[in-house]
């Protein structure tokens, strides 16, 4: 039996999943994205070159890895083709290595127009990426969506606008014929990549393959368990991998969460530990916290232990990677939120189900002396400054999850490992 690992974002996205999935892919035969679409922006480095992937699994830069776009995803055909072309400048990409699930839903030009319109008209905009994600998942739930299986049938693709006709896409089709023409051509070009990905994954697992399921966004953006309505429209949590890919949950051997050593969030919604002072600005500057997809500045704040402990329990995290520790090096003091104070409910130690309650919470912090700069970039936990180790130990203890590595920079080799934890090898 091989390793069947799920890697998820443990916060509100942009935790460094791309870097870590690229790193862990060295050990995998197969990397499968299971939800979301090109709202994701996963940053990788190839030699010195930065590459941001939006749909493609972050195992793409390993030549022999099979990379699949799973059934829980939503796909923009024009943008996916552009992405494939970018990766092709580095490595060969063909349907023997890259596959698209026949069950994945397709983002049409109409869904993108709807996303823009909903945001513009909303009294409280979500701050979406405007990539058409929500309307495409809504069409799926309405049983009114287009799936990748339609790519193989030119007539079905040509009639794509009819899938959403009752929402008014007919008119959009007439007003923007050139966009729809490009859309239809992209669908046809992607047809050779479409396959029964879920069955192939099950076959590979049965054959003993090492499999990596790649989460996008983060657990706090999960449609059910996140800060609704300020969430994305898919199941970002570990359970979402099993549901979206049709995998028996008992086959999962490990769930790994990625968190930054602090917190960021792009778009609207409550964020109790957000810092609107000079410290928040400093974290943003040092961490270069700008969205990899939209370029929007990310809101920054201290690590929220209450939220992280909730995510650890929700996803059954076996291991946690505490990423971007290097960004906090040199800070005189570093904080971890360990409870919330609410004007009506007093001291709260759990993550509230009601987003309005969360919005009124003020964090209670535990404070730690900072560790000096520069910090070591590689090695094992002995290389960590004792004060950095103290912070790692406190997070580990508070959240009840083993921290198996610490990120110290954007490159694969910039990481410090707890070598005493045998179940996590890179
Ligand atoms: P993702 O969406 O979770 O894949 O994360 P993003 O790519 O959107 O954002 C993470 C950013 O942090 C990227 O610019 C990465 O290159 C960078 N990064 C990842 N890990 C580290 C780390 O340990 N230290 C530093 N300084 N940067 C990192
Ligand atoms: P990665 O995979 C951070 C946020 C948006 C918005 C909300 C809904 O790079 O971590 P959507 O377009 O999905 O309907 O927007 O979710 N969001 C992300 N934030 N990282 C992401 O992806 C995100 N994908 C969506 O900013 O608040
Ligand atoms: Mg990102």
């Amino acid at each position: 039996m091989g390793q069947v690992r799920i890697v998820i974002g443990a916060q509100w996205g942009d935790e460094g999943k791309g870097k870590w999935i690229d790193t862990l892919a060295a050990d995998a035969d197969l990397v499968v994205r299971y939800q979301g679409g090109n709202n994701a922006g996963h940053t990788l480095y190839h030699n010195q070159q930065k590459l941001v992937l939006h749909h493609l699994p972050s195992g793409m830069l390993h030549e022999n890895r099979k990379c699949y776009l799973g059934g829980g995803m939503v796909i923009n055909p024009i943008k996916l083709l552009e992405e494939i072309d970018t990766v092709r400048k580095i490595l060969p990409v063909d349907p023997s290595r890259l596959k698209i699930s026949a069950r994945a839903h397709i983002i049409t030009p109409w869904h993108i127009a709807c996303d823009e319109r909903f945001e513009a008209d909303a009294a409280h905009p979500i701050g979406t990426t405007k990539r058409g994600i929500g309307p495409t998942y809504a069409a799926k739930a309405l049983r009114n969506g287009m799936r990748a299986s339609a790519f193989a049938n030119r007539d079905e693709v040509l009639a794509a606008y009819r899938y959403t006709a009752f929402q008014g896409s007919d008119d959009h089709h007439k007003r923007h014929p050139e966009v729809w023409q490009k859309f239809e051509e992209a669908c046809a070009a992607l047809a050779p990549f479409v396959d029964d990905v879920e069955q192939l994954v099950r076959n590979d697992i049965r054959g003993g393959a090492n499999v990596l399921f790649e989460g996008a966004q983060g657990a706090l953006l999960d449609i059910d368990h996140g800060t609704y309505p300020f969430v994305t429209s898919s199941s970002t949590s570990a359970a979402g991998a099993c549901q979206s890919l049709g995998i028996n949950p008992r086959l999962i051997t490990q769930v790994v969460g990625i968190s930054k050593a602090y917190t960021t969030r792009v778009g609207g919604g409550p964020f109790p530990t957000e810092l609107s002072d000079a410290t928040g600005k400093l974290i943003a500057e040092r961490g270069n916290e700008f969205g990899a997809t939209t370029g929007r500045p990310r809101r920054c704040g201290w690590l929220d232990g209450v939220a992280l402990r909730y995510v650890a329990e929700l996803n059954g995290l076996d291991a946690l990677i505490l990423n971007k520790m290097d960004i906090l090096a040199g800070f005189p003091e570093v904080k971890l939120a360990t409870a919330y104070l609410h004007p009506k409910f007093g001291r709260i130690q759990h993550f509230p189900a009601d987003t309005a309650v969360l919005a009124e919470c003020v964090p209670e912090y535990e404070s730690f002396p900072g560790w000096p700069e520069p910090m070591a970039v590689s090695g094992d936990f002995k290389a960590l400054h004792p004060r950095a180790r103290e912070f790692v130990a406190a997070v580990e203890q508070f959240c009840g999850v083993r921290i198996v590595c610490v990120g110290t920079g954007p490159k694969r080799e910039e990481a410090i490992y707890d070598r005493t934890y045998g179940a996590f090898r890179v």
Side-chain angles (χ1 to χ4, degrees):
M1 172 79 186
Q3 170 98 263
V4 184
R5 209 178 231 174
I6 303 176
V7 178
I8 62 147
Q11 299 173 300
W12 278 290
D14 304 324
E15 299 89 349
K17 297 176 292 295
K19 165 192 162 175
W20 280 101
I21 287 153
D22 174 50
T23 303
L24 296 171
D27 243 7
D29 302 297
L30 178 62
V31 184
V32 192
R33 260 281 299 267
Y34 62 86
Q35 44 67 234
N38 60 327
N39 47 348
H42 297 172
T43 312
L44 325 176
Y45 281 84
H46 181 70
N47 300 329
Q48 297 307 312
Q49 193 191 333
K50 178 173 156 177
L51 187 72
V52 181
L53 297 179
H54 301 287
H55 294 94
L56 293 172
S58 301
M60 278 312 284
L61 297 184
H62 296 264
E63 188 160 2
N64 302 317
R65 297 306 167 278
K66 290 192 274 188
C67 286
Y68 296 170
L69 278 65
M73 286 189 71
V74 290
I75 291 167
N76 177 325
I78 298 172
K79 295 294 175 192
L80 174 56
L81 263 189
E82 286 173 11
E83 235 179 288
I84 292 173
D85 285 343
T86 306
V87 175
R88 271 193 176 134
K89 290 186 188 125
I90 301 172
L91 286 170
V93 181
D94 61 50
S96 69
R97 175 158 107 84
L98 176 70
K99 293 186 194 298
I100 302 169
S101 168
R103 296 176 176 86
H105 275 252
I106 303 309
I107 304 170
T108 74
W110 170 243
H111 296 123
I112 299 167
C114 288
D115 197 358
E116 285 165 357
R117 182 67 188 270
F118 292 159
E119 283 290 281
D121 290 353
H124 301 286
I126 306 295
T128 74
T129 59
K130 299 189 185 156
R131 298 297 190 269
I133 306 298
T136 306
Y137 279 114
K140 170 179 171 175
L142 276 170
R143 293 148 297 172
N144 191 32
M146 171 186 174
R147 305 213 292 183
S149 52
F151 288 173
N153 182 341
R154 183 97 189 147
D155 289 341
E156 265 192 80
V157 172
L158 287 171
Y161 65 92
R162 266 195 244 128
Y163 285 90
T164 49
F166 87 90
Q167 297 164 329
S169 68
D170 218 3
D171 186 46
H172 189 267
H173 188 262
K174 284 191 200 97
R175 282 186 286 121
H176 303 281
E178 67 304 332
V179 179
W180 283 86
Q181 173 73 29
K182 203 171 165 197
F183 169 78
E184 288 154 14
E185 285 165 11
C187 291
L190 289 171
F193 293 93
V194 177
D195 213 323
D196 186 347
V197 156
E198 290 68 39
Q199 188 59 54
L200 293 173
V201 173
R202 287 192 294 269
N203 294 350
D204 275 352
I205 292 176
R206 205 178 319 111
N210 282 335
V211 182
L212 198 55
F213 295 139
E214 172 176 359
Q217 288 79 54
L220 298 173
L221 289 171
D222 185 280
I223 181 86
D224 293 300
H225 305 286
T227 48
Y228 190 90
F230 299 98
V231 292
T232 190
S233 302
S234 63
S235 299
T236 58
S237 355
C242 297
Q243 166 60 22
S244 301
L245 300 172
I247 301 299
N248 171 353
R250 287 183 296 258
L251 295 175
I252 306 301
T253 56
Q254 194 173 65
V255 184
V256 180
I258 321 272
S259 170
K260 285 175 189 167
Y262 50 95
T263 310
T264 66
R265 173 161 208 175
V266 204
F271 175 1
T273 64
E274 182 171 14
L275 294 169
S276 39
D277 60 4
T279 307
K281 233 175 125 190
L282 186 63
I283 295 176
E285 276 166 21
R286 291 193 47 147
N288 193 24
E289 295 296 350
F290 293 93
T293 295
T294 57
R296 290 177 292 174
R298 296 175 181 149
R299 302 154 63 192
C300 296
W302 295 121
L303 186 60
D304 186 340
V306 182
L308 192 55
R309 185 170 59 186
Y310 165 71
V311 166
E313 183 179 37
L314 176 68
N315 293 279
L317 294 187
D318 297 296
L320 184 69
I321 294 173
L322 200 61
N323 211 24
K324 297 189 90 162
M325 274 283 280
D326 54 309
I327 302 303
L328 296 186
F331 278 61
E333 155 184 65
V334 171
K335 293 186 185 180
L336 171 70
T338 52
Y340 298 143
L341 296 174
H342 186 271
K344 189 161 145 213
F345 304 117
R347 195 157 181 268
I348 302 180
Q349 287 176 292
H350 65 277
F351 193 74
D354 184 342
T355 303
V357 170
L358 182 68
E360 292 165 341
C361 285
V362 175
E364 192 177 274
Y365 288 111
E366 197 175 322
S367 179
F368 300 84
W371 50 94
E373 198 180 11
M375 66 184 284
V377 292
S378 58
D380 67 19
F381 268 23
K382 288 192 210 93
L384 283 176
H385 188 278
R387 295 204 292 269
R389 259 175 113 165
E390 195 192 319
F391 182 67
V392 169
V395 175
E396 196 169 52
Q397 205 191 3
F398 184 80
C399 300
V401 192
R402 190 79 187 247
I403 295 178
V404 293
C405 2
V406 155
T408 55
K411 311 272 170 59
R412 278 180 199 163
E413 56 284 1
E414 289 172 319
I416 295 182
Y417 294 91
D418 178 358
R419 298 283 179 206
T420 64
Y421 190 65
F424 192 84
R425 287 186 221 285
V426 179

